[in-house]
Amino acid sequence: MPPTAFEPHDHSSCVSDGVAAVERHCAEHKLQFTKVRRRVLEILLNQHKAWGAYEILDKLREEGLGSQPPVAYRALDFLVSHGFAHRIERLNAFIACTHFDTHHAPAFLICRSCNRVVEAESDPRAGELGRAAQSAGFVIERTVREAEGLCPACVGRASA
Amino acid sequence: MPPTAFEPHDHSSCVSDGVAAVERHCAEHKLQFTKVRRRVLEILLNQHKAWGAYEILDKLREEGLGSQPPVAYRALDFLVSHGFAHRIERLNAFIACTHFDTHHAPAFLICRSCNRVVEAESDPRAGELGRAAQSAGFVIERTVREAEGLCPACVGRASA
DNA sequence: CACAGATCGTTATATAATTACAGGAGACGT
DNA sequence: ACGTCTCCTGTAATTATATAACGATCTGTG
Ligand SMILES: [Zn+2]
Ligand SMILES: [Zn+2]
Ligand SMILES: [Zn+2]
Ligand SMILES: [Zn+2]
């Protein structure tokens, strides 16, 4: 199952499915899926890129949903803490989770040319980090795995 | 070869060996290892933790080596771009490289309790990132691999 | 309604990083 | 030694990212 967001796809379903899944999850877990939180999730889902907090804030401001940084950061904190979105450390930016149902340690592929970001599943105990941790007796609680480079489309464009 | 910095070791040699190796490399490659650059490297080597740019700047200021942010950032840029130091994205901070001779894609173990950071070697093509990239046709140029958790000493302390 | 807890609106502040430009020190060919 | 070029430095100003603090408002519950 290769990542799909680098390829053409029916993107409107990315948005609607994403919102619907979170809506369901919130209802089941008695979480408040408020207007701002919903809108921020929609913004994140709207493109497969990582959004800076202030970019999101600008959108909210245009729509009269809030104008100060804490408004955006609180909504993002909610989404991230419940696994509906992820923070991309390399970019100081945020992206909607594309498989938030599973309890996961995400990894990301970031295209430096078109800025698209794709989330891949990953096992935190696998790979070099896990091996190094094990041999050092280190207990991993959270991992950051981000790869920067060129997506297939941009590689083609560059070498064409 | 397990990482060593979580264990007791002769730390004075960490500093002197590190400076000497960089000094040699700069001489061989006609790079200018200026006073500020050397001092910043020494500061980084002084503890196995990640230093914020402004922490370093404070030290430089005390010593009359510069007082404005660009002084610290320029030295750090030099060190990072030549592989003598690494940026820890998760912490917005910097650490001296512990095996800068080899052409490498580093991975880090970050203890959230004692703040020690250990660098492990890693192959960028291995692990989940590499697999995901390959199946997506993505060309990796740089990776961020950072694990946060508890080092052996701090795990012991917590469960004791 | 009365209450507790979560959420929101707003101001101010903290922290991290970059831009821009003038000046200085060394390398280098003449 | 002289000019000249390049890299390095000093400093002010600004931009970008994130959090603290506090009162007001909403939401569900008895
Ligand atoms: Zn899509
Ligand atoms: Zn691309
Ligand atoms: Zn040491
Ligand atoms: Zn520790």
Side-chain angles (χ1 to χ4, degrees):
Chain A
M1 63 197 101
T4 162
F6 287 140
E7 290 150 27
H9 60 280
D10 171 18
H11 186 60
S12 65
S13 74
C14 292
V15 180
S16 52
D17 293 358
V19 173
V22 170
E23 194 155 44
R24 194 174 342 109
H25 184 99
C26 286
E28 281 168 12
H29 294 77
K30 310 217 186 218
L31 299 173
Q32 299 186 39
F33 194 35
T34 65
K35 197 146 65 167
V36 178
R37 291 171 179 179
R38 168 188 290 265
R39 187 63 191 121
V40 170
L41 178 65
E42 286 169 1
I43 292 168
L44 291 178
L45 282 165
N46 205 45
Q47 288 183 41
H48 293 284
K49 72 154 195 170
W51 294 77
Y54 281 75
E55 283 182 287
I56 290 172
L57 182 57
D58 286 344
K59 286 237 164 203
L60 294 178
R61 192 176 281 140
E62 285 169 16
E63 301 170 9
L65 276 173
S67 61
Q68 300 304 321
V71 173
Y73 280 102
R74 285 195 284 235
L76 289 166
D77 283 349
F78 171 84
L79 295 172
V80 169
S81 67
H82 291 92
F84 306 146
H86 300 293
R87 179 182 165 83
I88 308 291
E89 299 292 343
R90 174 70 181 133
L91 304 175
N92 293 335
F94 301 84
I95 190 166
C97 177
T98 53
H99 23 335
F100 91 94
D101 43 309
T102 66
H103 185 251
H104 63 293
F108 300 94
L109 303 177
I110 304 165
C111 178
R112 68 167 161 81
S113 170
C114 66
N115 296 313
R116 276 184 292 186
V117 176
V118 162
E119 177 178 351
E121 260 308 336
S122 96
D123 176 352
R125 319 215 156 276
E128 311 292 326
L129 274 177
R131 218 169 3 251
Q134 184 156 30
S135 90
F138 186 96
V139 177
I140 292 179
E141 294 173 342
R142 179 176 184 272
T143 60
V144 177
R145 297 161 193 264
E146 297 167 359
E148 220 173 358
L150 290 173
C151 76
C154 293
V155 170
R157 213 169 297 133
S159 62
Chain B
M1 62 194 101
T4 162
F6 286 140
E7 290 150 28
H9 61 280
D10 171 18
H11 186 59
S12 65
S13 74
C14 291
V15 180
S16 53
D17 292 358
V19 173
V22 170
E23 193 155 45
R24 194 173 341 108
H25 184 98
C26 286
E28 281 168 12
H29 294 76
K30 311 218 185 217
L31 299 173
Q32 299 187 38
F33 194 36
T34 65
K35 197 147 62 167
V36 178
R37 292 170 177 179
R38 166 187 291 264
R39 186 63 191 121
V40 170
L41 178 65
E42 286 169 0
I43 292 168
L44 291 178
L45 282 166
N46 206 46
Q47 289 183 40
H48 293 284
K49 72 154 196 170
W51 293 76
Y54 282 72
E55 283 183 288
I56 291 172
L57 182 58
D58 285 344
K59 285 236 165 205
L60 294 178
R61 192 175 282 140
E62 286 169 16
E63 301 169 8
L65 275 173
S67 61
Q68 301 302 321
V71 174
Y73 281 102
R74 286 194 285 235
L76 288 166
D77 284 349
F78 171 83
L79 295 173
V80 168
S81 67
H82 291 93
F84 306 146
H86 300 293
R87 180 182 164 83
I88 308 292
E89 299 293 342
R90 175 69 181 135
L91 303 176
N92 293 337
F94 301 83
I95 191 167
C97 177
T98 53
H99 21 338
F100 90 94
D101 42 308
T102 66
H103 185 251
H104 63 294
F108 301 94
L109 303 177
I110 305 165
C111 178
R112 68 167 161 81
S113 169
C114 67
N115 297 312
R116 276 185 292 186
V117 176
V118 162
E119 176 178 353
E121 262 306 337
S122 98
D123 176 352
R125 319 220 156 274
E128 311 291 327
L129 273 178
R131 227 180 341 267
Q134 184 156 30
S135 89
F138 186 95
V139 177
I140 292 179
E141 294 172 342
R142 179 174 185 274
T143 61
V144 177
R145 297 162 194 262
E146 298 166 0
E148 221 174 356
L150 290 174
C151 76
C154 292
V155 169
R157 212 169 300 133
S159 63

